Amino acid sequence: MKQWTTRKIGAVILSVACLIPLVGCSAESGTASGYKDGSYEGISPNGIHGEIAVAVAITGGKITDIKVTSHGETEGIGSLAVEQLPGKIIEAQSTEVDGVSGASVSSAAIKEAVNDALTKAK
């Protein structure tokens, strides 16, 4: 009987040890959750025609608004990314979203600028 109890205790300890790395993980991992509330500016020098600047609002630890405050993107091409991408990022609570078709450089620069702002919000 003593050996059975030792095995049981060993199994419990092993189970707990396996669960320890999972502590702190959640469904929100990789999202905006945990950012400090406020408004943060971000910049990317990699727009198709130079710098793209954004203002990102965080409320309740989540991205609630993104405004592209300045850009030199081509009207009808890069400007589509300026119009569409902020909404996609807010909806996903992440910059890990698809770029706008035909505006990959502009999309990448907007994501880079948003990531710059989010870095400041940590």
Side-chain angles (χ1 to χ4, degrees):
M1 179 127 166
K2 182 179 179 184
Q3 189 176 21
W4 183 80
T5 305
T6 304
R7 285 185 185 173
K8 198 172 192 179
I9 291 171
V12 169
I13 291 171
L14 182 60
S15 297
V16 170
C18 290
L19 292 174
I20 289 174
L22 299 177
V23 173
C25 293
S26 71
E28 293 190 44
S29 187
T31 67
S33 181
Y35 290 120
K36 293 182 230 167
D37 288 359
S39 183
Y40 302 91
E41 294 182 5
I43 296 173
S44 170
N46 299 318
I48 199 79
H49 294 292
E51 188 176 275
I52 292 181
V54 299
V56 177
I58 306 290
T59 306
K62 296 189 178 214
I63 303 168
T64 55
D65 191 34
I66 300 171
K67 288 187 177 23
V68 177
T69 56
S70 69
H71 70 89
E73 304 311 283
T74 305
E75 192 62 37
I77 302 172
S79 65
L80 294 176
V82 169
E83 295 166 10
Q84 297 174 16
L85 205 53
K88 289 181 178 184
I89 293 170
I90 292 167
E91 184 178 330
Q93 290 296 299
S94 171
T95 56
E96 297 295 318
V97 296
D98 290 337
V100 175
S101 181
S104 56
V105 172
S106 300
S107 295
I110 292 168
K111 291 179 196 181
E112 182 179 27
V114 171
N115 282 332
D116 181 45
L118 293 175
T119 299
K120 297 170 186 174
K122 287 188 178 189

